[in-house]
Amino acid sequence: MTSNPESRLLRRATAVIAVQVAAAVAATAVLVSVLAFWLTIRAEHLAEERTVRVQTLAAGADLTGTEGVVLVRRAPDGVVTASGGTPPAVLRTDVTRLRPGRGNATIGGRHFEAYAADRADGSRTVGLLDVTAREESGERLVGSMLIAGLIGIVAAASIGAVLGRQAVRPLARALSLQRRFVADASHELRTPLAVLHTRAELLQRRLNRNADAERIRADVAELVADTHVLGEVVEDLLLSAELSHRPAGGVTFDAADLARELAASVEPYASAQHVTLRTDIAAGPMEVTGVRSSLRRALAALVDNALAHVSAGGTVTVAVDRADGRVRLTVIDDGVGLDPAQAAHLLARFARGEHHADRPGRRFGLGLALVQEVLDAHGGQLRIDGSPGKGARVTMILPAATV
């Protein structure tokens, strides 16, 4: 899919949100982890220091009654004794030379929490508690925390990306609606402007031929009516957003009059394309309830689509009839036709048929999609029939107004 500045902006906003969420989660996780680790290590260290101190100060001359603490005693005469189970490396080291009070010692590759106490009789007792296992466990814990932190950052970034997409979704929808409005406006204003241009050219020719004033007045009246249609199109485009969220409502009017009015307005444009535009109105009431300008827009889109697929010399018919409590407005052409299997595809925005008549101007394929939107808002249906090379028939089916 082709990239555009808007999509790049949305992707950048999503990435920024993901990075910010990941950074915030990572910073919080690091702060909590460091604080928890420091408090845990601090508590263990204080407990070890207290154990060594208490056991050292409470040890008698026989060095008994210890709990995991190795005791070494140097008598006043210099004789060194040790408690049972003292590692040989400790015996080979003169730990009695440690300074009084708390300290640390590394003996034979092991780490010890140490405490040296001097006695009144001139002896010194040193308590040693092996803290190697605790330090190795702490190192493993730090490594695990680093790995967990990296995993947490990746997870936070993923969550941030999801949150970022959700956060920018309203902006993406707003941008989409903006592009959609521009496309709709371009499509809907194209045909009325073409009609106005054709009528103005006819008026100019008659003026150049000194045509009768009555005919000129009629053309000017039609020109004014067409400019009013342009105003209705603009107002209807502004109303289309509301139609997608609530029933159309509106007023009751005669669909047959609407068809005649539209045919009269578009007929000069059709004649300029050398296409015959006619109406086929059945007898009887053809009243429907809705937004008249919206339904006129929808019918104009069908007529414009038919004209685009009919070659010079062809015919487009706007028919109106009633059956089973519904009013049907049908646009029939004898143009290039269509494959019924493509009907659903043609209702998509920007979809185009495989063949169309050679007409000036670019076509955007929005007509049938807009018609479907209007009918959905009015509780109606759109039916597409035809066959390749034998023309097409597109019908707007609307509930008849209740008396």
Side-chain angles (χ1 to χ4, degrees), residues 297-351:
R297 173 171 70 114
L299 186 59
L302 296 185
V303 173
D304 176 59
N305 186 69
L307 291 173
H309 292 83
V310 174
S311 300
T315 301
V316 173
T317 302
V318 180
V320 183
D321 64 353
R322 176 171 176 164
D324 301 326
R326 293 178 175 270
V327 175
R328 300 182 297 188
L329 295 92
T330 305
V331 178
I332 308 165
D333 68 71
D334 56 4
V336 295
L338 58 88
D339 183 354
Q342 293 184 341
H345 168 71
L346 294 175
L347 293 176
R349 283 179 169 271
F350 301 103

Side-chain angles (χ1 to χ4, degrees), residues 81-249:
T81 58
S83 60
T86 301
V90 174
L91 296 176
R92 292 192 297 268
T93 304
D94 190 3
V95 297
T96 60
R97 294 186 178 276
L98 292 173
R99 65 180 181 178
R102 177 191 170 277
N104 295 295
T106 301
I107 304 171
R110 310 287 293 180
H111 300 283
F112 295 86
E113 179 75 23
Y115 190 86
D118 292 329
R119 306 290 184 176
D121 60 359
S123 65
R124 167 176 284 189
T125 302
V126 178
L128 299 172
L129 179 62
D130 193 336
V131 296
T132 305
R134 189 262 298 167
E135 292 183 351
E136 291 176 349
S137 176
E139 292 175 356
R140 289 193 298 269
L141 179 60
V142 171
S144 299
M145 290 174 58
L146 290 176
I147 296 175
L150 292 176
I151 296 175
I153 291 175
V154 173
S158 301
I159 295 173
V162 174
L163 295 177
R165 284 193 293 268
Q166 292 178 348
V168 302
R169 190 171 297 160
L171 176 60
R173 179 171 175 77
L175 293 175
S176 176
L177 290 175
Q178 182 187 45
R179 290 192 298 269
R180 182 172 177 173
F181 177 83
V182 172
D184 288 355
S186 300
H187 178 272
E188 293 304 319
L189 293 176
R190 178 174 52 82
T191 298
L193 285 173
V195 172
L196 279 176
H197 179 73
T198 302
R199 198 179 299 282
E201 284 185 336
L202 292 175
L203 180 60
Q204 183 182 42
R205 292 171 186 171
R206 290 193 177 96
L207 287 173
N208 291 337
R209 293 197 303 265
N210 295 320
D212 61 282
E214 187 63 28
R215 180 60 178 170
I216 293 176
R217 279 195 296 270
D219 287 337
V220 170
E222 293 290 344
L223 191 61
V224 172
D226 290 335
T227 59
H228 180 68
V229 171
L230 278 177
E232 287 184 338
V233 168
V234 173
E235 291 179 3
D236 196 49
L237 285 172
L238 296 175
L239 187 63
S240 62
E242 296 183 14
L243 289 179
S244 63
H245 296 288
R246 62 174 176 81

Side-chain angles (χ1 to χ4, degrees), residues 236 239-250 289-291 294-295 297-298 369-382 397-399:
D236 196 49
L239 187 63
S240 62
E242 296 183 14
L243 289 179
S244 63
H245 296 288
R246 62 174 176 81
T289 301
V291 180
S294 294
L295 293 173
R297 173 171 70 114
L370 294 177
V371 172
Q372 184 67 67
E373 287 185 3
V374 173
L375 290 178
D376 288 343
H378 287 78
Q381 299 176 352
L382 182 65
I397 305 175
L398 294 165

Side-chain angles (χ1 to χ4, degrees), residues 62-86:
D62 57 356
L63 302 180
T64 58
T66 61
E67 297 179 2
V69 177
V70 174
L71 295 175
V72 180
R73 182 175 181 271
R74 186 184 66 188
D77 58 3
V79 177
V80 176
T81 58
S83 60
T86 301

Side-chain angles (χ1 to χ4, degrees), residues 383-400:
R383 181 179 299 164
I384 303 175
D385 299 300
S387 57
K390 296 183 180 180
R393 173 189 295 263
V394 184
T395 304
M396 295 169 47
I397 305 175
L398 294 165

